[in-house]
Amino acid sequence: MKKLLLLGAMALLLVACEQKEKQEQDTTDNKEVFIPQGVPVAPMQQIQIQEKGGVDPTALGDPNGPVLKLEEGMPLDFSQLQGQKMSVEDHVASQIDSIRYKAEQGDAKFQYAYGVCYEKGWGVEQNTKEALAWFRKAAAQESGPAYNSLGNYYRMGTGVTADPKQALEWYQKGAQAKDAQAMLNLGNCYFYGMGVEKNEATAVKWWKDAADAGNVYAISQMGDCYLYGIGTEKDMTKAVEYLTQAADHNIANAQYRLGIIYYTGDGVEKDQTYAKLLMQKARDGGMQEAQAFLDKNFKN
């Protein structure tokens, strides 16, 4: 049970740490930052936290679910954590001694997790230098998430001098290690010409690899690529297929795009009732464009 709780805390930590890419802000203090506006963020491995504080075990069936595995390759049993009335931060902090011990013993997953603890100040005092040090230790053992985090730090200039080429190199290593976030970020580099010559076809290749790995933001991105012919031929059938997958995972951009498609009947049978539902979901997900669409087309 203790091992399951510790591993559960680890998985929650890995899940939560990936939210940082949705929360990144432009750095200040006159740092040169290499993060073009509109760069698609990497996905969050989401686990739905129930109102009572437990973890929904049905999230295990989600292809965008937890990434931490037991030694035998089986997913964690999150039902063991149900009923624990703690935030993710508090739950991880309660396990900080065990996380530290395993990190110091050389376990790459826990070295990465311990780096996240320092990054966020969970169970330890927030310290970017320490976070970087533990990410580097995990990266030395070929940890895909650590590669990706180092790429983020060099892209943003967090604790290091912003360097798009080094960011690219870390993302390449992460992509080679099959880390879906690194694949998405590597695609972003090629799409925006960030540290490498701009190449939309190569960007789409990496986005597709990330989508195939279950990255819901990459799935949405591929829907846009097929919808608009970005780096590939236009294909409404594939666009609808990808956007539907992403919309089912509550990606607001995909819900918005799909709503327009069903409203106009472009490549699908027109269904304005479904279009309205999709737009409402996109609006609830934070898309102001969706509210404007609803105001204009569904006044009653």
Side-chain angles (χ1 to χ4, degrees), residues 49-244:
I49 306 299
Q50 298 175 333
E51 290 184 3
K52 294 182 179 180
V55 179
D56 184 356
T58 62
L60 290 172
D62 189 322
N64 196 43
V67 294
L68 184 63
K69 307 293 182 182
L70 292 170
E71 289 78 5
E72 60 268 34
M74 298 297 292
L76 288 165
D77 179 7
F78 283 96
S79 64
Q80 298 291 330
L81 296 175
Q82 278 195 292
Q84 297 216 10
K85 298 180 180 180
M86 287 187 185
S87 66
V88 174
E89 176 181 353
D90 289 342
H91 189 83
V92 171
S94 73
Q95 300 290 326
I96 192 65
D97 289 338
S98 295
I99 292 172
R100 178 189 299 112
Y101 174 79
K102 287 185 174 292
E104 291 174 346
Q105 293 301 305
D107 188 308
K109 293 190 296 295
F110 285 87
Q111 288 175 337
Y112 169 68
Y114 198 35
V116 174
C117 290
Y118 273 109
E119 181 180 68
K120 292 183 170 291
W122 288 357
V124 293
E125 185 175 349
Q126 192 171 26
N127 188 318
T128 298
K129 183 177 179 181
E130 285 291 333
L132 272 167
W134 284 104
F135 288 150
R136 291 187 189 282
K137 288 180 180 181
Q141 297 194 66
E142 303 181 352
S143 165
Y147 287 143
N148 181 68
S149 288
L150 287 169
N152 292 339
Y153 274 44
Y154 276 99
R155 186 187 75 198
M156 296 293 295
T158 304
V160 294
T161 300
D163 187 331
K165 290 186 177 180
Q166 284 206 54
L168 175 76
E169 290 175 3
W170 287 116
Y171 289 143
Q172 287 173 329
K173 290 182 178 180
Q176 291 167 3
K178 306 300 182 184
D179 183 80
Q181 288 183 314
M183 292 176 188
L184 178 60
N185 282 325
L186 184 57
N188 296 342
C189 290
Y190 278 101
F191 184 77
Y192 290 101
M194 189 166 57
V196 68
E197 185 176 351
K198 180 180 175 69
N199 188 319
E200 289 188 0
T202 302
V204 171
K205 182 267 180 193
W206 284 111
W207 286 338
K208 186 177 186 305
D209 285 352
D212 290 345
N215 180 316
V216 292
Y217 282 90
I219 291 170
S220 179
Q221 192 75 0
M222 287 303 302
D224 278 356
C225 289
Y226 282 115
L227 181 62
Y228 297 113
I230 299 170
T232 186
E233 295 291 329
K234 288 186 178 181
D235 188 323
M236 281 301 296
T237 299
K238 289 183 178 180
V240 171
E241 178 184 341
Y242 276 107
L243 290 173
T244 299

Side-chain angles (χ1 to χ4, degrees), residues 272-294:
Q272 295 194 355
T273 300
Y274 185 43
K276 182 178 181 180
L277 176 63
L278 286 165
M279 282 296 173
Q280 289 171 334
K281 289 183 176 181
R283 174 202 61 198
D284 294 344
M287 284 206 70
Q288 296 179 355
E289 298 90 340
Q291 182 61 65
F293 188 93
L294 286 166

